[in-house]
C-alpha cells in the first residue's frame, strides 16, 4: 500500500544560472535542491504574511 502524500508535484522551468546558484546554496546549507526551494518559498510566504491561519496554528515557530 502506497502512503498518501500531501505534497504536490509540478514542473519548474528555471534558467541555468539561477539553478546553479540554488544548487550551490543548497549544498552550503546541507539541503537538497528541492529542500532549498521549499525553504526559500516558506521564508518568503512567512515574510509576506500570506500563510493561512490553519498552517500558522500548526507551525512550531
Amino acid at each position: 500500500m502506497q502512503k498518501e502524500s500531501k505534497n504536490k508535484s509540478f514542473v519548474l522551468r528555471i534558467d541555468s544560472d539561477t539553478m546553479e546558484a540554488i544548487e550551490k546554496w543548497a549544498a552550503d546549507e546541507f539541503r537538497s535542491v528541492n529542500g532549498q526551494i521549499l525553504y526559500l518559498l516558506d521564508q518568503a510566504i512567512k515574510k509576506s504574511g500570506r500563510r493561512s491561519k490553519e498552517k500558522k496554528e500548526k507551525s512550531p515557530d
Side-chain angles (χ1 to χ4, degrees):
M1 189 181 338
Q2 188 176 3
K3 185 178 178 181
E4 193 173 318
S5 174
K6 292 185 179 187
N7 294 335
K8 294 185 179 185
S9 331
F10 68 98
V11 175
L12 174 64
R13 290 179 182 86
I14 190 167
D15 66 87
S16 60
D17 290 339
T18 302
M19 185 63 179
E20 287 176 23
I22 292 173
E23 288 171 337
K24 182 175 182 336
W25 194 358
D28 290 348
E29 296 191 5
F30 304 103
R31 291 189 181 100
S32 66
V33 170
N34 186 71
Q36 186 69 14
I37 292 170
L38 289 173
Y39 173 78
L40 294 170
L41 289 171
D42 186 59
Q43 294 301 303
I45 291 167
K46 284 179 184 176
K47 184 177 178 182
S48 70
R50 295 180 182 265
R51 175 78 62 209
S52 69
K53 288 182 182 180
E54 180 181 315
K55 185 72 173 182
K56 283 181 187 176
E57 291 170 3
K58 290 181 183 178
S59 180
D61 329 51

